[in-house]
Amino acid sequence: MIRKIIFISFLLIGIGLGQVNSDSNIVAEVGNYKITETDFIIRYSDFLLSTGINDNMAVRQSTLNNMIYETLLENYDDNKKIFNDPEFKNELEWAKKQTILSFLKDREIYAKLNVTEDELREAFLRVNQKVSARHLFARTEDEAYKLYNLVKNGVSFEVLAEKVFTDSVLKHNGGYLGYFTWGDMDPDFEDAAYSMNPGDISIPVKTKYGYSIIYVEDKVTVPILTESEFVKKKKTLERLLKISKKKSAEKNYLSMKFNLKDVKFNDKVMEDLYKNLAAGLVDPESPKLSGLKNIAVTYKNKKYTKQDILKKIKQLPEAHKYKINSLPNLNQAVAGFILQEILLDEASRKGYDKNPEVLDNYTRLAKQIFLQRKQEEITDNAVIDDSVTRKYYNENKDLLKSPDEVNVQEIIVENVELADSIKKKIDNGEDFGNLAKKFSIREYSKNNNGVLGFSEVDKFGLFKDRVWNSEKNNVIGPLLYEGHYAILKVLDKEPGKVYKYEDIKEDIADIIKLQQQYTLTQKHVDEISKNVTIKRNINLLSKIKLME
């Protein structure tokens, strides 16, 4: 249906006309707080790398204004509700652990990878492929998955790009990045994009700078590069090869530190624990729970009680708690807790948890988490008049409806030759259902003559428009579908129905808040800034040289 999504957006905030003395290294002053040239360079460089935007004065001013906006919200607003929220504390603690573990893996795995000359030569031959893609950028995983859900629910990249980008190009071209090759983008971004086929949309991909949802539009082969170009590309190829080796190297590293076979579950206690979780009983001190001291799992010589596991679950951010929706997932989560504990102990022994780079990265991540919460708080607290929501409802009824559904008959086979022969049989009058029973490899539909029953048309992904626009009893295909070949027959269609106003009034208010997000935040920051002196050093801002 309709989902709410909150973005941490870069705003051009028109506050403060003062100027910092031009010969200082302070690029802005916000009350008693200073934004230094170094602060700006780190933030701005990360922003350029994460978005692909070119350096220019307008973007510099936008980034500085955003840093001013953040300083105001952090230091001159009432944040007690956020800072005292247990869930916020859980998110910070989780972010701290992930930052430490990321650094551990970089030092113990990535930094120790080697690449041979032969591997470089082989990789060089693969660089003759370019990828064309769009992307949507988010600072946090939670924000990224909200974006991803909107994409999966049919919201276009064009619409969402207007919300997540301030750069005029990306904002108005649907996040289109054009064609790129190895070495042009973030390595993790490229690794994901090169593994996808045209038309694929990725789940949120974690990069050095945040998260991206990638839509690959095209792949093109270009002429083989020359020897001189190989020399120029050598360092980039080495870096990319290390990235490609990282997953297997990480798997080997983890297998040395942790053996899943050594995790011994007490099935009875774990089943009881899952029943408690399913009933919403997650407090490890709750008097309603029994058997808290019972051993739930052992790993080598270490024992974990039911209460120990509950404490770890309680400390998880909500997004991760939701993933524990079955007993196997609970067992997997517990194994993850044990592995995480082992790796954090290893990081602590090596002093990585005190490393300045780790502390700096965590500080930046904690700020992002706070700002996301603050943005949500500002937007959630806004009040939308009933007349506004009703007007939106009356003007957008075509969007405010249940999903279109189709009843489709299918035949799924593994190779195109068989699919073609089956299609000919259908064209010659043979019964679709009998052919489905004889050839289809999908058991649940095969046993019903290939009939799937009514389901949302979005289930058919790239082919949804073709399925929906097909006449009843028309046969479509063969189509390459999830690695197999599909022949589809549309039996019936059920258009979505407009929801009743009272049922979705709150959802409409959330949509309007999203649309007015810039205005709501601007108004809130304007109120805070009335009592704060803000100065900018525009002269210094224009002269700053970025790190190579």
Side-chain angles (χ1 to χ4, degrees):
M1 192 176 146
I2 306 161
R3 304 197 181 194
K4 176 177 67 174
I5 181 166
I6 307 297
F7 302 102
I8 305 301
S9 306
F10 280 76
L11 306 175
L12 287 168
I13 303 173
I15 52 177
L17 299 175
Q19 286 285 321
V20 176
N21 190 325
S22 62
D23 60 0
S24 74
N25 70 336
I26 306 300
V27 74
E29 292 180 7
V30 185
N32 297 325
Y33 295 86
K34 294 178 172 59
I35 299 173
T36 68
E37 181 179 357
T38 301
D39 293 335
F40 177 81
I41 289 173
I42 293 172
R43 173 63 171 273
Y44 188 55
S45 298
D46 280 354
F47 176 65
L48 295 181
L49 285 168
S50 67
T51 61
I53 295 173
N54 293 324
D55 173 35
N56 63 70
M57 191 59 186
V59 179
R60 289 189 178 206
Q61 288 181 303
S62 176
T63 304
L64 178 60
N65 283 338
N66 197 57
M67 295 176 75
I68 292 170
Y69 140 78
E70 292 168 3
T71 304
L72 285 166
L73 290 177
E74 283 183 87
N75 302 290
Y76 293 99
D77 201 11
D78 182 4
N79 298 312
K80 291 178 184 176
K81 184 177 179 181
I82 294 176
F83 292 148
N84 292 330
D85 182 4
E87 174 60 19
F88 176 66
K89 294 176 182 178
N90 284 348
E91 289 180 14
L92 291 183
E93 185 60 28
W94 182 261
K96 185 175 184 180
K97 290 176 181 177
Q98 295 309 304
T99 303
I100 295 169
L101 293 178
S102 179
F103 189 80
L104 170 72
K105 291 175 183 177
D106 280 345
R107 287 293 178 92
E108 298 301 317
I109 302 172
Y110 184 74
K112 296 179 180 181
L113 291 174
N114 294 312
V115 175
T116 67
E117 182 74 12
D118 287 343
E119 288 174 323
L120 286 169
R121 291 283 177 183
E122 184 179 346
F124 178 58
L125 297 177
R126 298 200 304 268
V127 186
N128 67 329
Q129 190 176 56
K130 295 193 297 184
V131 175
S132 167
R134 298 178 185 273
H135 89 125
L136 300 170
F137 176 75
R139 286 283 177 186
T140 67
E141 183 179 23
D142 183 56
E143 183 185 338
Y145 270 98
K146 288 176 181 176
L147 266 178
Y148 177 70
N149 286 332
L150 285 176
V151 171
K152 297 301 288 183
N153 284 339
V155 182
S156 70
F157 271 62
E158 286 77 6
V159 169
L160 293 175
E162 290 187 4
K163 304 296 182 184
V164 300
F165 294 116
T166 54
D167 174 71
S168 60
V169 176
L170 292 172
K171 186 180 186 73
H172 297 298
N173 72 0
Y176 182 64
L177 298 170
Y179 284 91
F180 56 87
T181 187
W182 270 20
D184 293 340
M185 307 293 286
D186 175 274
D188 292 307
F189 185 102
E190 288 176 1
D191 191 40
Y194 270 87
S195 68
M196 296 163 62
N197 295 316
D200 287 351
I201 296 174
S202 75
I203 61 172
V205 175
K206 190 178 189 312
T207 69
K208 182 178 179 181
Y209 309 102
Y211 294 83
S212 282
I213 296 159
I214 306 167
Y215 171 47
V216 172
E217 292 196 340
D218 192 20
K219 284 187 175 181
V220 176
T221 299
V222 297
I224 298 297
L225 303 176
T226 64
E227 182 66 19
S228 63
E229 287 172 314
F230 168 68
V231 175
K232 293 178 184 177
K233 286 274 187 181
K234 198 169 183 178
K235 286 187 178 180
T236 299
L237 290 172
E238 183 176 4
R239 176 173 61 85
L240 292 167
L241 281 170
K242 283 187 174 183
I243 290 293
S244 68
K245 289 184 173 187
K246 192 174 182 178
K247 288 182 180 177
S248 61
E250 181 175 331
K251 184 177 180 181
N252 292 335
Y253 176 80
L254 295 180
S255 67
M256 291 188 294
K257 301 294 179 182
F258 173 76
N259 189 345
L260 185 60
K261 293 180 180 179
D262 292 331
V263 179
K264 307 298 181 184
F265 292 105
N266 183 325
D267 292 338
K268 187 175 184 304
V269 175
M270 291 300 294
E271 287 173 10
D272 183 55
L273 176 55
Y274 179 69
K275 288 178 182 177
N276 293 150
L277 295 176
L281 299 173
V282 296
D283 187 351
E285 308 299 331
S286 173
K288 296 181 180 180
L289 296 176
S290 61
L292 288 172
K293 299 301 181 182
N294 292 340
I295 304 301
V297 61
T298 60
Y299 181 75
K300 295 184 177 178
N301 296 322
K302 189 158 186 179
K303 296 177 172 60
Y304 298 85
T305 66
K306 179 179 176 181
Q307 189 174 50
D308 293 331
I309 302 302
L310 280 170
K311 285 179 180 178
K312 291 182 180 295
I313 292 173
K314 187 178 180 181
Q315 293 168 355
L316 283 175
E318 287 298 325
H320 294 278
K321 288 178 186 173
Y322 289 140
K323 296 175 184 177
I324 306 177
N325 54 12
S326 67
L327 182 56
N329 285 351
L330 173 59
N331 290 344
Q332 186 177 16
V334 171
F337 293 147
I338 297 170
L339 173 58
Q340 185 185 73
E341 191 176 277
I342 292 168
L343 295 179
L344 288 173
D345 286 345
E346 175 82 1
S348 179
R349 285 195 299 272
K350 294 179 179 292
Y352 292 160
D353 55 332
K354 303 290 194 304
N355 185 281
E357 185 178 336
V358 170
L359 298 178
D360 286 345
N361 288 339
Y362 168 67
T363 298
R364 287 197 290 272
L365 185 54
K367 179 179 286 190
Q368 291 168 15
I369 294 170
F370 163 76
L371 290 169
Q372 180 186 351
R373 281 303 194 95
K374 193 65 188 178
Q375 188 82 52
E376 291 175 354
E377 182 181 78
I378 293 169
T379 310
D380 288 345
N381 287 341
V383 177
I384 306 299
D385 190 80
D386 185 72
S387 62
V388 177
T389 56
R390 190 172 290 278
K391 181 174 183 290
Y392 184 94
Y393 176 81
N394 291 331
E395 293 177 351
N396 296 277
K397 287 184 177 180
D398 57 325
L399 302 175
L400 305 174
K401 62 180 185 177
S402 60
D404 295 329
E405 294 189 346
V406 290
N407 185 10
V408 169
Q409 203 171 11
E410 69 169 15
I411 300 174
I412 307 292
V413 296
E414 292 184 336
N415 64 76
V416 68
E417 292 82 7
L418 178 57
D420 286 336
S421 69
I422 293 172
K423 178 62 164 54
K424 289 179 182 177
K425 291 176 185 292
I426 295 170
D427 292 341
N428 290 331
E430 291 197 37
D431 183 72
F432 195 105
N434 290 336
L435 291 170
K437 289 175 68 175
K438 183 177 180 180
F439 293 105
S440 191
I441 62 174
R442 187 126 63 183
E443 289 296 327
Y444 71 84
S445 61
K446 178 178 182 177
N447 294 334
N448 195 33
N449 294 327
V451 178
L452 298 176
F454 276 99
S455 60
E456 295 180 13
V457 71
D458 284 349
K459 169 186 174 181
F460 295 93
L462 293 174
F463 306 117
K464 65 180 182 181
D465 290 336
R466 189 169 174 184
V467 169
W468 182 252
N469 294 326
S470 174
E471 296 292 332
K472 290 182 182 180
N473 297 315
N474 185 41
V475 177
I476 307 168
L479 306 171
L480 181 59
Y481 183 67
E482 296 181 350
H484 298 92
Y485 291 88
I487 302 170
L488 307 176
K489 183 179 181 181
V490 179
L491 301 178
D492 203 358
K493 294 188 279 188
E494 189 69 45
K497 297 179 181 178
V498 177
Y499 293 111
K500 294 180 180 179
Y501 172 73
E502 292 300 328
D503 291 340
I504 61 169
K505 181 170 65 173
E506 292 184 5
D507 294 306
I508 295 173
D510 287 336
I511 292 175
I512 294 171
K513 287 178 184 179
L514 174 60
Q515 293 177 341
Q516 295 180 358
Q517 188 176 358
Y518 295 103
T519 305
L520 292 171
T521 305
Q522 178 77 64
K523 182 178 179 181
H524 188 82
V525 174
D526 283 346
E527 284 298 314
I528 300 172
S529 67
K530 288 178 180 178
N531 300 315
V532 182
T533 302
I534 300 169
K535 299 179 180 179
R536 297 174 177 78
N537 189 338
I538 300 301
N539 184 46
L540 174 61
L541 183 67
S542 65
K543 295 179 179 179
I544 288 176
K545 292 184 178 180
L546 301 178
M547 297 178 288
E548 295 294 333

